[in-house]
Amino acid sequence: METMTTASVDVVADQDRKGPGRPRSARADEAIIEAVMDLLSGGQSADAISIEAVAAKAGVGKATIYRRWPNKEALLIDAVTAMKGPSPELAGESVRGDLVTLIAGMRTKRMDHYGKVTACLLPQLAKGEEMHRVYQGVIEPRREVMRGVLRRGIASGELRADLDIELTLLMLSGPTLAQNILRWNPNVADEQFAERLVDAVLRGAHA
């Protein structure tokens, strides 16, 4: 990303605030989010990252950040969410098809980078409550999308009525995260990983 000075980015941000209804500076937003991700991927813990450090890395003033985010936790949530990207669109034609789409969406090139950042965060996720809250805030909306698919399958009779939805979520997402972040089992091929994982879980979940 092109390096921007504090003055240049703040001028853009100030110009965006002139007049009612003007959008805020996209360049400043991107610089701030990129700075957070650079600090995290560089090994800084969530607790150690400060607004001052983010501002210096992004080349903006602290006031520019606080005009956009009320606190550091909100900034971290947005930064990790931006890295993860939007949830994929679902066809809604079958439970299997939608689950494959969701799992495959966790195996993209974007997710490769996200997995590396997440690997840097693992110590904080294990011992730091702040980063754990941030991470839960990022993944909960995606979990809810998958819950919706499973609930729909139960309602239609495609899945067992007594299906443990939360455990099924874990069975689907756990192996995906393990392979993304740790390459936990190199003997499991990447080819059609989503299809094979979903089929394995659905063997026990089908009505």
Side-chain angles (χ1 to χ4, degrees):
M1 175 174 289
E2 179 184 354
T3 302
M4 292 176 284
T5 66
T6 301
S8 64
V9 176
D10 282 344
V11 165
V12 174
D14 288 339
Q15 289 173 342
D16 287 336
R17 289 193 305 278
K18 291 178 181 178
R22 283 264 187 125
R24 71 193 196 186
S25 168
R27 289 183 65 201
D29 287 1
E30 292 170 4
I32 293 165
I33 293 295
E34 186 70 21
V36 175
M37 298 314 300
D38 285 348
L39 290 170
L40 289 172
S41 61
Q44 284 231 24
S45 70
D47 292 336
I49 289 177
S50 65
I51 294 296
E52 289 82 0
V54 174
K57 186 79 172 175
V60 303
K62 289 193 299 180
T64 298
I65 296 178
Y66 281 120
R67 279 191 292 266
R68 288 155 167 75
W69 293 275
N71 52 50
K72 184 178 75 172
E73 183 169 318
L75 173 57
L76 288 170
I77 290 174
D78 276 5
V80 181
T81 300
M83 170 64 72
K84 204 166 178 62
S87 183
E89 293 289 331
L90 302 180
E93 296 174 356
S94 72
V95 169
R96 180 187 183 275
D98 285 350
L99 291 178
V100 167
T101 297
L102 290 171
I103 298 301
M106 300 169 65
R107 301 278 293 169
T108 62
K109 289 297 182 182
R110 174 192 284 268
M111 291 301 104
D112 283 346
H113 187 31
Y114 176 78
K116 292 174 183 177
V117 173
T118 304
C120 295
L121 297 177
L122 286 177
Q124 278 64 51
L125 290 174
K127 66 182 181 181
E129 291 187 7
E130 180 179 10
M131 198 61 233
H132 188 264
R133 285 195 307 272
V134 168
Y135 188 69
Q136 292 301 315
V138 170
I139 64 175
E140 179 56 27
R142 291 171 178 268
R143 276 198 298 246
E144 187 57 29
V145 171
M146 193 175 289
R147 285 190 192 101
V149 174
L150 297 175
R151 291 183 188 121
R152 192 184 77 224
I154 293 171
S156 68
E158 190 174 347
L159 301 180
R160 296 168 45 174
D162 63 346
L163 182 70
D164 187 325
I165 289 179
E166 297 304 316
L167 185 59
T168 304
L169 291 177
L170 182 60
M171 293 168 67
L172 288 165
S173 59
T176 308
L177 291 172
Q179 289 297 95
N180 282 359
I181 298 172
L182 304 173
R183 292 289 299 168
W184 190 83
N185 188 346
N187 295 319
V188 175
D190 289 334
E191 185 179 359
Q192 292 192 313
F193 175 87
E195 291 84 351
R196 290 184 290 119
L197 175 62
V198 169
D199 287 341
V201 173
L202 288 184
R203 288 190 190 104
H206 273 309

